[in-house]
């Protein structure tokens, strides 16, 4: 199996990173760190390190000052489970899942996973099954279905579900073959324009992304983690949501650190006009809406490049931008289920049912890859000009994680005790919700330490406008 240093080198050089910069990174610690047959801890460590190194490289370009990056594998995997360690006024998170979310058997002896945390997704499942939103009734209804038929019908009704497949079953699908032709991170030039210089006037208190503006149109984990990471390195991140969009409060708090947050009603022309004005002054536009949703509102990558000809546009999808599932919605837990991880973990544990990875690893790793891709595209934009489109997907991150190899006996690893986490990796900070205990960022930069200079706030707490550049 590849070493963490070699894995990082592959990520870094795949998008044109200078190999010489890798000499300034130190990766410490051993795997495994938590119980899994997959290399989840190293996946967290190397994606976080890639984002940290990109930030350090931007600092070097802006200040002519190099710095070192250190990522410890234990701290990294703790950060990839940051939502479980969050404490609000000393209290732990509430249950993470809706009452009918989770795994069910179907009439043909298969397993399906339903994701019903958002009300419209729950309603779609119940509509297809013609049952009430109660676990026993959902299970009874599913015994009348074949697993794949239910998966297809639920997606057609606007739901999000996944049939559990083995890795071999997944690999045989056209979607898996389409992903095999794509890179882990795609960075493409989509418009011509002169280079956009870096904001001027760095001070001793600045960080690599100081003065850069990021529009964050994302929810749940991967996209918000990307925005949180960019904020940790100094960017002004404005999270744009809608007053009627469903959200998961605990995740909003955890990933809201460092961000401004505004409501913009994109269903109205007035709201779209507001977003266009924000976009004109942005450096990075990061979005995780379902495929084609923003394009229908006039904010496809090509539209954004016309509104702001020097934009870096970042797209997150569930299953990639090519293949028959390119427009299929999805979440980490579902992609884990359908691409073979739940089956493989179950087999490794000796059980005949799905077993989840011990972290929302596809989400977190993809979030760090989004931040990394955004920064590397910004480096290209500053040098070559133009507008750039960065694309990542949960399924492609899953393909990469699978190809890192498996750990014999990895499921026997003791989990990290909460007491150890809170003794080593937690900081206390104020917020608009109360006092938070949160996981510190695990990429340690020697000259520009990451930090969140803005507190997490309730959605819509700020006006939809950029702060003054200092």
């Amino acid at each position: 199996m590849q070493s963490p240093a070699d894995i990082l080198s592959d990520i870094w050089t795949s998008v044109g990173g200078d190999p010489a910069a890798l000499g300034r990174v130190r990766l410490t610690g051993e795997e495994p760190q938590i119980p899994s047959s997959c290399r989840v801890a190293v996946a967290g460590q190397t994606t976080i390190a890639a984002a940290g190194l990109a930030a350090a490289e931007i600092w070097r370009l802006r200040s002519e000052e190099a710095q070192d990056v250190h990522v410890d594998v234990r701290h990294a995997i703790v950060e990839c489970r940051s939502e479980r360690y969050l404490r609000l006024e000393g209290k732990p998170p509430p249950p993470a899942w809706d009452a009918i979310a989770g795994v069910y058997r179907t009439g043909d002896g298969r397993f399906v996973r339903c994701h019903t945390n958002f009300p419209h997704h729950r309603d779609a499942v119940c509509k297809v099954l013609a049952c009430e939103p109660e676990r026993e009734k959902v299970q009874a209804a599913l015994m009348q279905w074949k697993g794949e038929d239910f998966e297809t019908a639920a997606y057609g009704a606007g739901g999000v579900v996944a049939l559990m497949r083995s890795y071999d079953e997944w690999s045989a699908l056209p979607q898996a073959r389409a992903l095999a032709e794509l890179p882990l991170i795609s960075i493409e030039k989509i418009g011509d324009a002169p280079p956009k210089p870096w904001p001027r006037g760095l001070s001793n208190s600045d960080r690599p992304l100081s003065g850069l503006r990021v529009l964050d149109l994302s929810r749940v984990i991967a996209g918000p983690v990307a925005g949180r990471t960019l904020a940790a390195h100094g960017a002004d991140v404005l999270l744009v949501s809608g007053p009627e969009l469903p959200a998961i409060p605990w995740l909003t708090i955890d990933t809201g650190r460092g961000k401004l947050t505004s409501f913009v009603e994109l269903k109205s022309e007035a709201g779209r006009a507001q977003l266009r004005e924000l976009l004109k002054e942005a450096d990075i536009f990061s979005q995780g809406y379902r495929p084609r949703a923003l394009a229908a509102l006039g904010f496809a990558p090509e539209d954004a490049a016309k509104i702001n000809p020097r934009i870096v546009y970042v797209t997150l999808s569930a299953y990639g931008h090519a293949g028959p599932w390119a427009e299929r919605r999805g979440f980490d837990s579902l992609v884990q289920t359908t691409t073979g991880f739940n089956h493989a973990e179950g087999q490794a544990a000796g059980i005949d049912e799905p077993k989840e990875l011990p972290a929302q690893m596809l989400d977190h790793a993809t979030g760090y890859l989004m931040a990394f891709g955004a920064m590397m595209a910004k480096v290209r934009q500053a040098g070559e000009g133009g507008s750039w489109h960065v694309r990542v997907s949960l399924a492609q991150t899953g393909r990469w994680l699978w190809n890192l190899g498996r750990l014999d006996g990895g499921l026997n690893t003791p989990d990290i005790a909460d007491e150890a986490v809170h003794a080593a990796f937690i900081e206390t900070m104020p917020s608009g919700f109360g006092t938070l205990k949160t996981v510190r960022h695990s990429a340690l930069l020697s000259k520009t330490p990451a930090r969140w200079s803005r507190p997490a706030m309730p959605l819509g707490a700020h006006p939809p406008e950029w702060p003054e550049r200092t």
Side-chain angles (χ1 to χ4, degrees), residues 190 279 282-285 301 304-305 308-313 381 386-388:
I190 58 170
L279 176 55
D283 297 284
I284 296 168
F285 184 102
N308 179 348
R310 298 188 293 187
I311 192 70
V312 170
Y313 190 109
Q381 198 281 327
S387 292
W388 296 80

Side-chain angles (χ1 to χ4, degrees), residues 322-390:
W325 287 16
E327 296 187 15
R328 182 170 284 203
R329 308 171 185 86
F331 295 95
D332 177 305
S333 58
L334 302 178
V335 178
Q336 280 191 39
T337 301
T338 204
T339 62
F341 285 100
N342 286 184
H343 177 263
E345 289 278 77
Q347 281 199 321
I351 59 176
D352 183 27
E353 59 186 44
K355 182 174 177 57
E356 301 85 358
L357 294 174
Q360 297 284 93
M361 203 60 234
L362 307 186
D363 260 333
H364 281 272
T366 302
Y368 293 114
L369 291 173
M370 288 177 74
F372 167 66
M375 286 186 273
M376 297 302 282
K378 186 68 189 83
V379 168
R380 290 196 194 181
Q381 198 281 327
E384 303 174 33
S387 292
W388 296 80
H389 188 196
V390 179

